[in-house]
Amino acid sequence: MDNLKALKAKLNDQGYKLTPQRQLIFDIFQTLATGKHLSAESLHMLLVERGEGMSLSTVYRNLKIMTKMGILREVELAQAQKHYELNTISTHHHHIVCVQCHQIIEFKNNSILQEGLKQVETNGLQLIDCQFTLHTICPEALEMGWPTTSSNWVCPRFTTVSKAKSLGNQQLKLEN
């Protein structure tokens, strides 16, 4: 799904229309940098910053429809809220997530998908999505003795991630 014409056709095939709200949401996901994920709230914040008058409930409703149709992909990362990304076969990937600072690292591994497809075929099922997420602890939290760190300790990466979120970014790359 990489253009507006295909989006409109897919929506029409399912009995939906290409509304201005869906087009705006699609446009935002089309222009996101590789590896970026947005929650409904961060998407809503981006829309507000652009001067769009879309309500949060409209954002949620359209994310649900676009995910159900396979236009967007819902990913559950370390945070309590769900995140979304454009669902494209060419960018099929998996995630490594720190449960302390919520840093996300994407990686590709076709053998995970291939093994899943074999199991699906063997059992006569139809694959809808393949998501593999490794939940980890970052080096900073481990150095502080996680999980026995003091209750008020906050990973320095978390404060960096929080600042990035306020700027509309949802992801940091691991720096070596």
Side-chain angles (χ1 to χ4, degrees), residues 43-166:
L43 174 59
H44 181 251
M45 188 183 342
L46 283 173
L47 290 164
V48 168
E49 288 171 2
R50 290 183 176 194
E52 302 297 338
M54 194 181 311
S55 71
L56 184 56
S57 63
T58 300
V59 169
Y60 272 108
R61 187 171 39 259
N62 281 293
L63 286 173
K64 184 177 181 179
I65 289 168
M66 294 171 82
T67 300
K68 180 181 172 187
M69 295 180 64
I71 297 165
L72 298 177
R73 182 179 189 210
E74 184 180 87
V75 291
E76 293 190 36
L77 304 171
Q79 300 94 332
Q81 51 191 207
K82 295 176 181 176
H83 286 76
Y84 301 85
E85 61 188 0
L86 206 55
N87 189 17
T88 58
I89 294 171
S90 64
T91 60
H92 185 82
H93 60 273
H94 306 287
H95 302 95
I96 299 171
V97 181
C98 174
V99 298
Q100 176 63 38
C101 68
H102 311 298
Q103 177 185 14
I104 304 161
I105 301 168
E106 293 185 345
F107 70 98
K108 293 183 179 189
N109 184 317
N110 289 333
S111 63
I112 294 170
L113 180 59
Q114 290 169 354
E115 182 59 34
L117 285 169
K118 279 196 284 187
Q119 294 300 318
V120 164
E121 188 176 298
T122 299
N123 291 290
L125 304 169
Q126 181 178 349
L127 183 66
I128 296 172
D129 191 13
C130 176
Q131 293 186 39
F132 182 68
T133 304
L134 295 168
H135 297 273
T136 63
I137 303 298
C138 68
E140 287 83 353
L142 288 172
E143 287 174 19
M144 289 301 295
W146 190 92
T148 58
T149 56
S150 70
S151 60
N152 62 350
W153 180 78
V154 177
C155 179
R157 289 182 194 249
F158 183 74
T159 56
T160 305
V161 170
S162 295
K163 288 177 188 173
K165 282 182 183 179
S166 69

